[in-house]
Amino acid sequence: MFDKVRIWFWQRNVRSVLRHNKTSRKLSGLTDAYRVGIYYVYRNEEEMNSLRGFVTRLMQTGKRVKALVYMPGKETPKPEAKDAGFAFFVKRDLDWKFFPQEELNPELDAFLDQDYDLLIDFSSDFHYTDVAIMATCVSHMKVGKFSPWNLKVNDLCLAPEPNENYVEGFIRVLETYLPLFDGGQK
């Protein structure tokens, strides 16, 4: 019973955030975007290394990239293990409706308070937190995985072919479809 109530409040919050989000929407690809936000749910080190490589490649082209990683455990990585441009958060940083708690994690707050040209969701499986983070962030264009709730939040939903490394597959699909939006306006 509690789970149904929890999900009902989550749906209500997502709808409220989307209704009050007045960000101007514009289509932009990887070339046009200067400020890029990336959200990822940690699954394994191989995917994390692929994500690090992608972030490094974007930074080398002069983009400002911030990556937010949800760690399923209770501990965030030690400061020396953190990469430049990466912020981490854990379950205790969320409220009971799967939304980020205000002012609990400064890295999470800094990521959510940014205004992005392009926001990308690299998480592979559907979770309520993913949709909450993507809905809460301010971005001119949002790209993520294909699911019924992500259709309401994202401007572009992609479904890469399943393989061992989901992040690599998602990067390939991104690099295939996002150039179609370079130079585009809405």
mmCIF file of all heavy atoms in Angstrom, residues 78-100:
data_model
loop_
_atom_site.group_PDB
_atom_site.id
_atom_site.type_symbol
_atom_site.label_atom_id
_atom_site.label_comp_id
_atom_site.label_asym_id
_atom_site.label_seq_id
_atom_site.Cartn_x
_atom_site.Cartn_y
_atom_site.Cartn_z
ATOM 1 N N LYS A 78 35.561 8.172 -2.306
ATOM 2 C CA LYS A 78 36.441 9.077 -1.565
ATOM 3 C C LYS A 78 36.874 10.213 -2.491
ATOM 4 O O LYS A 78 36.949 10.039 -3.700
ATOM 5 C CB LYS A 78 37.650 8.305 -1.064
ATOM 6 C CG LYS A 78 37.296 7.289 0.009
ATOM 7 C CD LYS A 78 38.544 6.591 0.477
ATOM 8 C CE LYS A 78 38.314 5.682 1.640
ATOM 9 N NZ LYS A 78 37.212 4.791 1.617
ATOM 10 N N PRO A 79 37.166 11.393 -1.938
ATOM 11 C CA PRO A 79 37.531 12.542 -2.782
ATOM 12 C C PRO A 79 38.662 12.268 -3.758
ATOM 13 O O PRO A 79 38.641 12.760 -4.877
ATOM 14 C CB PRO A 79 37.921 13.616 -1.768
ATOM 15 C CG PRO A 79 37.188 13.253 -0.527
ATOM 16 C CD PRO A 79 37.096 11.750 -0.524
ATOM 17 N N GLU A 80 39.646 11.470 -3.373
ATOM 18 C CA GLU A 80 40.765 11.204 -4.291
ATOM 19 C C GLU A 80 40.353 10.290 -5.443
ATOM 20 O O GLU A 80 41.018 10.238 -6.466
ATOM 21 C CB GLU A 80 41.977 10.616 -3.554
ATOM 22 C CG GLU A 80 41.721 9.297 -2.851
ATOM 23 C CD GLU A 80 41.206 9.437 -1.423
ATOM 24 O OE1 GLU A 80 40.926 10.565 -0.992
ATOM 25 O OE2 GLU A 80 41.071 8.415 -0.759
ATOM 26 N N ALA A 81 39.246 9.559 -5.304
ATOM 27 C CA ALA A 81 38.784 8.667 -6.361
ATOM 28 C C ALA A 81 37.848 9.383 -7.343
ATOM 29 O O ALA A 81 37.480 8.825 -8.359
ATOM 30 C CB ALA A 81 38.062 7.456 -5.761
ATOM 31 N N LYS A 82 37.488 10.602 -7.032
ATOM 32 C CA LYS A 82 36.552 11.336 -7.886
ATOM 33 C C LYS A 82 37.274 11.944 -9.079
ATOM 34 O O LYS A 82 38.423 12.370 -8.981
ATOM 35 C CB LYS A 82 35.847 12.427 -7.089
ATOM 36 C CG LYS A 82 34.936 11.877 -6.021
ATOM 37 C CD LYS A 82 34.224 12.994 -5.307
ATOM 38 C CE LYS A 82 33.314 12.434 -4.238
ATOM 39 N NZ LYS A 82 32.601 13.497 -3.538
ATOM 40 N N ASP A 83 36.578 11.993 -10.186
ATOM 41 C CA ASP A 83 37.119 12.599 -11.397
ATOM 42 C C ASP A 83 36.679 14.049 -11.495
ATOM 43 O O ASP A 83 35.659 14.446 -10.932
ATOM 44 C CB ASP A 83 36.596 11.850 -12.630
ATOM 45 C CG ASP A 83 37.036 10.410 -12.659
ATOM 46 O OD1 ASP A 83 38.237 10.169 -12.453
ATOM 47 O OD2 ASP A 83 36.187 9.528 -12.876
ATOM 48 N N ALA A 84 37.418 14.831 -12.244
ATOM 49 C CA ALA A 84 37.038 16.218 -12.484
ATOM 50 C C ALA A 84 35.738 16.253 -13.276
ATOM 51 O O ALA A 84 35.564 15.510 -14.233
ATOM 52 C CB ALA A 84 38.137 16.938 -13.255
ATOM 53 N N GLY A 85 34.828 17.075 -12.854
ATOM 54 C CA GLY A 85 33.558 17.192 -13.557
ATOM 55 C C GLY A 85 32.507 16.192 -13.121
ATOM 56 O O GLY A 85 31.389 16.222 -13.605
ATOM 57 N N PHE A 86 32.833 15.292 -12.195
ATOM 58 C CA PHE A 86 31.889 14.279 -11.730
ATOM 59 C C PHE A 86 31.396 14.614 -10.324
ATOM 60 O O PHE A 86 32.178 14.994 -9.457
ATOM 61 C CB PHE A 86 32.542 12.886 -11.706
ATOM 62 C CG PHE A 86 32.584 12.216 -13.045
ATOM 63 C CD1 PHE A 86 33.536 12.562 -13.976
ATOM 64 C CD2 PHE A 86 31.671 11.236 -13.366
ATOM 65 C CE1 PHE A 86 33.584 11.951 -15.213
ATOM 66 C CE2 PHE A 86 31.706 10.605 -14.599
ATOM 67 C CZ PHE A 86 32.666 10.969 -15.525
ATOM 68 N N ALA A 87 30.102 14.456 -10.119
ATOM 69 C CA ALA A 87 29.488 14.587 -8.803
ATOM 70 C C ALA A 87 28.773 13.274 -8.505
ATOM 71 O O ALA A 87 28.268 12.618 -9.419
ATOM 72 C CB ALA A 87 28.493 15.745 -8.790
ATOM 73 N N PHE A 88 28.734 12.899 -7.239
ATOM 74 C CA PHE A 88 28.140 11.628 -6.850
ATOM 75 C C PHE A 88 27.071 11.858 -5.786
ATOM 76 O O PHE A 88 27.174 12.779 -4.986
ATOM 77 C CB PHE A 88 29.211 10.683 -6.288
ATOM 78 C CG PHE A 88 30.255 10.305 -7.297
ATOM 79 C CD1 PHE A 88 31.375 11.097 -7.499
ATOM 80 C CD2 PHE A 88 30.110 9.155 -8.048
ATOM 81 C CE1 PHE A 88 32.332 10.749 -8.437
ATOM 82 C CE2 PHE A 88 31.065 8.795 -8.984
ATOM 83 C CZ PHE A 88 32.172 9.597 -9.177
ATOM 84 N N PHE A 89 26.051 10.987 -5.795
ATOM 85 C CA PHE A 89 25.064 11.008 -4.724
ATOM 86 C C PHE A 89 24.571 9.595 -4.471
ATOM 87 O O PHE A 89 24.775 8.698 -5.282
ATOM 88 C CB PHE A 89 23.911 11.975 -5.027
ATOM 89 C CG PHE A 89 22.932 11.521 -6.069
ATOM 90 C CD1 PHE A 89 21.667 11.087 -5.710
ATOM 91 C CD2 PHE A 89 23.254 11.547 -7.417
ATOM 92 C CE1 PHE A 89 20.754 10.670 -6.663
ATOM 93 C CE2 PHE A 89 22.346 11.150 -8.371
ATOM 94 C CZ PHE A 89 21.094 10.698 -7.993
ATOM 95 N N VAL A 90 23.966 9.392 -3.304
ATOM 96 C CA VAL A 90 23.509 8.075 -2.877
ATOM 97 C C VAL A 90 22.051 8.167 -2.436
ATOM 98 O O VAL A 90 21.453 9.246 -2.431
ATOM 99 C CB VAL A 90 24.385 7.524 -1.727
ATOM 100 C CG1 VAL A 90 25.796 7.221 -2.199
ATOM 101 C CG2 VAL A 90 24.414 8.469 -0.548
ATOM 102 N N LYS A 91 21.505 7.035 -2.042
ATOM 103 C CA LYS A 91 20.087 6.941 -1.696
ATOM 104 C C LYS A 91 19.690 7.892 -0.566
ATOM 105 O O LYS A 91 18.602 8.435 -0.566
ATOM 106 C CB LYS A 91 19.742 5.496 -1.325
ATOM 107 C CG LYS A 91 18.278 5.249 -1.127
ATOM 108 C CD LYS A 91 17.998 3.787 -0.879
ATOM 109 C CE LYS A 91 16.499 3.571 -0.760
ATOM 110 N NZ LYS A 91 16.178 2.153 -0.612
ATOM 111 N N ARG A 92 20.567 8.114 0.383
ATOM 112 C CA ARG A 92 20.219 8.992 1.505
ATOM 113 C C ARG A 92 20.051 10.456 1.084
ATOM 114 O O ARG A 92 19.548 11.266 1.839
ATOM 115 C CB ARG A 92 21.239 8.861 2.630
ATOM 116 C CG ARG A 92 22.562 9.469 2.323
ATOM 117 C CD ARG A 92 23.467 9.492 3.561
ATOM 118 N NE ARG A 92 24.769 9.986 3.198
ATOM 119 C CZ ARG A 92 25.825 9.235 2.966
ATOM 120 N NH1 ARG A 92 25.737 7.938 3.102
ATOM 121 N NH2 ARG A 92 26.964 9.767 2.617
ATOM 122 N N ASP A 93 20.494 10.787 -0.136
ATOM 123 C CA ASP A 93 20.318 12.146 -0.662
ATOM 124 C C ASP A 93 18.944 12.345 -1.293
ATOM 125 O O ASP A 93 18.646 13.426 -1.809
ATOM 126 C CB ASP A 93 21.395 12.461 -1.700
ATOM 127 C CG ASP A 93 22.790 12.473 -1.094
ATOM 128 O OD1 ASP A 93 22.934 12.957 0.045
ATOM 129 O OD2 ASP A 93 23.721 11.983 -1.751
ATOM 130 N N LEU A 94 18.114 11.292 -1.270
ATOM 131 C CA LEU A 94 16.779 11.351 -1.867
ATOM 132 C C LEU A 94 15.718 11.365 -0.776
ATOM 133 O O LEU A 94 15.913 10.814 0.302
ATOM 134 C CB LEU A 94 16.549 10.137 -2.773
ATOM 135 C CG LEU A 94 17.555 9.931 -3.896
ATOM 136 C CD1 LEU A 94 17.301 8.597 -4.582
ATOM 137 C CD2 LEU A 94 17.481 11.070 -4.886
ATOM 138 N N ASP A 95 14.582 11.981 -1.081
ATOM 139 C CA ASP A 95 13.477 11.914 -0.129
ATOM 140 C C ASP A 95 12.661 10.645 -0.395
ATOM 141 O O ASP A 95 12.992 9.854 -1.275
ATOM 142 C CB ASP A 95 12.616 13.180 -0.177
ATOM 143 C CG ASP A 95 11.907 13.382 -1.514
ATOM 144 O OD1 ASP A 95 11.842 12.442 -2.336
ATOM 145 O OD2 ASP A 95 11.392 14.486 -1.742
ATOM 146 N N TRP A 96 11.599 10.449 0.327
ATOM 147 C CA TRP A 96 10.821 9.216 0.214
ATOM 148 C C TRP A 96 10.050 9.127 -1.101
ATOM 149 O O TRP A 96 9.573 8.070 -1.458
ATOM 150 C CB TRP A 96 9.874 9.067 1.404
ATOM 151 C CG TRP A 96 8.828 10.136 1.485
ATOM 152 C CD1 TRP A 96 8.955 11.376 2.023
ATOM 153 C CD2 TRP A 96 7.489 10.039 1.010
ATOM 154 N NE1 TRP A 96 7.791 12.081 1.903
ATOM 155 C CE2 TRP A 96 6.861 11.273 1.284
ATOM 156 C CE3 TRP A 96 6.761 9.048 0.374
ATOM 157 C CZ2 TRP A 96 5.547 11.530 0.942
ATOM 158 C CZ3 TRP A 96 5.443 9.312 0.040
ATOM 159 C CH2 TRP A 96 4.854 10.542 0.331
ATOM 160 N N LYS A 97 9.985 10.239 -1.876
ATOM 161 C CA LYS A 97 9.311 10.242 -3.178
ATOM 162 C C LYS A 97 10.301 10.152 -4.332
ATOM 163 O O LYS A 97 9.966 10.492 -5.455
ATOM 164 C CB LYS A 97 8.480 11.512 -3.326
ATOM 165 C CG LYS A 97 7.388 11.665 -2.305
ATOM 166 C CD LYS A 97 6.749 13.030 -2.389
ATOM 167 C CE LYS A 97 7.762 14.052 -2.035
ATOM 168 N NZ LYS A 97 7.371 15.286 -1.478
ATOM 169 N N PHE A 98 11.539 9.735 -4.054
ATOM 170 C CA PHE A 98 12.603 9.547 -5.047
ATOM 171 C C PHE A 98 13.180 10.851 -5.593
ATOM 172 O O PHE A 98 13.910 10.836 -6.567
ATOM 173 C CB PHE A 98 12.133 8.686 -6.232
ATOM 174 C CG PHE A 98 11.545 7.368 -5.854
ATOM 175 C CD1 PHE A 98 10.176 7.150 -5.921
ATOM 176 C CD2 PHE A 98 12.351 6.342 -5.416
ATOM 177 C CE1 PHE A 98 9.628 5.934 -5.573
ATOM 178 C CE2 PHE A 98 11.812 5.114 -5.061
ATOM 179 C CZ PHE A 98 10.446 4.908 -5.140
ATOM 180 N N PHE A 99 12.840 11.990 -5.019
ATOM 181 C CA PHE A 99 13.357 13.278 -5.468
ATOM 182 C C PHE A 99 14.550 13.686 -4.610
ATOM 183 O O PHE A 99 14.643 13.305 -3.448
ATOM 184 C CB PHE A 99 12.269 14.358 -5.377
ATOM 185 C CG PHE A 99 11.435 14.458 -6.606
ATOM 186 C CD1 PHE A 99 10.430 13.541 -6.855
ATOM 187 C CD2 PHE A 99 11.645 15.463 -7.535
ATOM 188 C CE1 PHE A 99 9.658 13.619 -7.988
ATOM 189 C CE2 PHE A 99 10.876 15.546 -8.677
ATOM 190 C CZ PHE A 99 9.880 14.626 -8.908
ATOM 191 N N PRO A 100 15.473 14.479 -5.176
ATOM 192 C CA PRO A 100 16.631 14.930 -4.391
ATOM 193 C C PRO A 100 16.183 15.812 -3.223
ATOM 194 O O PRO A 100 15.303 16.655 -3.383
ATOM 195 C CB PRO A 100 17.453 15.750 -5.379
ATOM 196 C CG PRO A 100 16.853 15.544 -6.703
ATOM 197 C CD PRO A 100 15.507 14.955 -6.544
#
